[in-house]
Amino acid sequence: MELDLTWILLGLPAAFALGWIASRMDLRQMRMANRQAPRAYFKGLNYLLNEQQDQAIDAFIEAVQNDPDTSELHFALGNLFRRRGEYDRAVRVHEHLLSRADISTADRQRAQHGLALDFLKAGLLDRAEEALRKLEGTAYEGQARLARMAIYERSREWPEAFAMAQLLETSGEANFGIRMAHYRCEQAREAVQQGDMDKAMDLLTQTLRKQPEAPRPRILLGQLQMNQGQAQTAYATLVGLFERNDTAAPLAAASFVKAAQACGMLEAARDVLQTHYLKQPCIDVLDAITALDHALQADPASLHSAASERYLNHLQKQPSLMAATRWLMGDREGSADLPAPVQKALEHATKPLARYRCAACGFEAKEHFWHCPGCQAWDSYPPRRVEEL
């Protein structure tokens, strides 16, 4: 059969025309998709700026469907899910990004960081820690270590938290000396609860040697030494707080008085407290001076007179309902003439004023906390009562 050249000559232009039409249709569809993706993206951005998160999520989902290869849209969608508390959906978005082979190393690290935050916000601490470990050696290493340290604090894994703080300090993130002292103090408290006094003593002694300016290990060490019958050593440990006018010294005032009474250093202790009080007037230190006066003097009338005068002088410096109550008690020789309802009313009125308040979240408590149970902040409790703030 002979090949008809006429059909070949007619078919070539037809094939070219069909190919050209098909390419134009593909370009048109591509332009339409590209126009739809930015339109959906900007619509989502507008919703986000107006704090309409539900509509923003719908718009970003539409944009992702139109352009599934755009990683930025996935990141935006994952962050939105996490902010809304839809952690399972945020995890799926970031895991999808990590499963892709076409994203850059920077985007992969970013997705890993987002996944760790998803687990952290969801309270899945084990999975969050595992995800954060994979960020070692990346641009997110410092943030990951800080997050891991927070995880160890929440789970009370103090040795791990200490090790992480050391890594952060070594890398130049910040000075974590005081924080590490807190971790050692927490370990010492656990050792005391377990009855291992030697371990607690070693931990506090080493911590005080490395961080002599940290007040907490000094206070805990002095209290532990008192409980172990080492009154003279406890006195020497605690006196440093008052001699250098540490702001946390009032927290150790009661323990310091007990140590002074046990080792016969009443007059020396009173002089130390008086000097400190003149520089930093405080109701706790004033109560400690009054307690030492009771131990030094035997005449009840003189004691009550001196106490009344002391609290009256304090009132002239600082208005204080607590000091006024103590003045009334001292002025009436043990409140013998003060009616019971008045005593009860005064005690009821001063109780809230004797609390400690977190400066970060406002959580109040009867005792002083170094680690706020409300907001988990460290050193957020001023060492003074609410009334004195």
Side-chain angles (χ1 to χ4, degrees), residues 277 281-287 290 304 306-332 338 346-347 349-351 353-354 385 387-388:
Y277 174 80
C282 174
I283 194 70
D284 286 317
V285 176
L286 195 57
D287 288 343
T290 302
H304 289 301
S308 297
E309 183 179 357
R310 190 177 300 112
Y311 288 114
L312 186 59
N313 290 334
H314 184 81
L315 285 169
Q316 293 174 349
K317 298 177 183 177
Q318 298 178 357
S320 167
L321 184 58
M322 294 172 64
T325 301
R326 285 161 173 73
W327 174 80
L328 285 171
M329 301 297 185
D331 187 52
R332 294 176 180 272
L338 198 63
L346 287 171
E347 291 173 0
T350 55
K351 276 184 180 180
L353 302 176
R385 311 286 179 169
E387 187 185 51
E388 299 178 301

Side-chain angles (χ1 to χ4, degrees), residues 50-210:
N50 292 324
E51 298 184 357
Q52 297 174 280
Q53 293 188 6
D54 292 337
Q55 293 88 338
I57 286 175
D58 293 337
F60 282 130
I61 289 176
E62 180 186 348
V64 167
Q65 290 172 346
N66 292 329
D67 190 6
D69 295 331
T70 304
S71 58
E72 285 298 330
L73 292 175
H74 286 79
F75 284 123
L77 198 55
N79 291 338
L80 272 175
F81 283 142
R82 184 169 63 245
R83 287 177 60 183
R84 279 179 49 83
E86 299 181 48
Y87 304 119
D88 54 340
R89 300 179 74 180
V91 167
R92 287 200 297 270
V93 170
H94 290 119
E95 285 181 339
H96 170 71
L97 284 168
L98 289 171
S99 66
R100 288 171 49 178
D102 60 333
I103 63 173
S104 64
T105 301
D107 281 345
R108 187 171 298 279
Q109 294 173 2
R110 184 179 172 188
Q112 183 66 39
H113 182 247
L115 182 64
L117 292 180
D118 297 338
F119 289 139
L120 195 60
K121 291 292 185 179
L124 303 174
L125 301 185
D126 291 341
R127 299 185 68 179
E129 181 187 356
E130 181 183 354
L132 290 167
R133 285 181 183 276
K134 295 179 181 179
L135 292 170
E136 287 291 322
T138 70
Y140 296 92
E141 181 181 69
Q143 298 177 45
R145 287 176 175 177
L146 283 170
R148 287 173 63 189
M149 189 170 70
I151 289 174
Y152 296 140
E153 288 181 3
R154 289 174 63 180
S155 56
R156 304 187 67 82
E157 299 177 66
W158 304 118
E160 289 79 3
F162 185 89
M164 198 54 54
Q166 279 186 317
L167 285 175
L168 285 165
E169 186 167 296
T170 303
S171 62
E173 291 289 335
N175 185 357
F176 287 89
I178 300 297
R179 183 73 66 89
M180 287 190 285
H182 281 305
Y183 295 154
R184 287 303 192 216
C185 288
E186 293 292 342
Q187 288 181 261
R189 285 184 59 190
E190 291 180 352
V192 170
Q193 293 172 357
Q194 296 167 2
D196 194 346
M197 302 301 174
D198 292 337
K199 179 181 178 181
M201 193 77 75
D202 289 341
L203 283 168
L204 292 172
T205 302
Q206 293 173 14
T207 304
L208 189 58
R209 188 181 304 117
K210 292 180 180 179

Side-chain angles (χ1 to χ4, degrees), residues 354-368:
R355 292 174 175 268
Y356 296 95
R357 179 189 296 153
C358 174
C361 69
F363 187 89
E364 292 187 4
K366 293 181 180 179
E367 62 177 301
H368 179 274

Side-chain angles (χ1 to χ4, degrees), residues 235 256-257 260 265-277 285 288-290 292-294 296-297 306 310:
Y235 180 90
F256 184 62
V257 169
M265 300 285 290
L266 298 177
E267 293 185 0
R270 191 189 184 286
D271 291 339
V272 169
L273 290 174
Q274 187 65 36
T275 302
H276 178 84
Y277 174 80
V285 176
I289 295 172
T290 302
L292 287 174
D293 280 348
H294 276 272
L296 284 167
Q297 299 182 26
R310 190 177 300 112

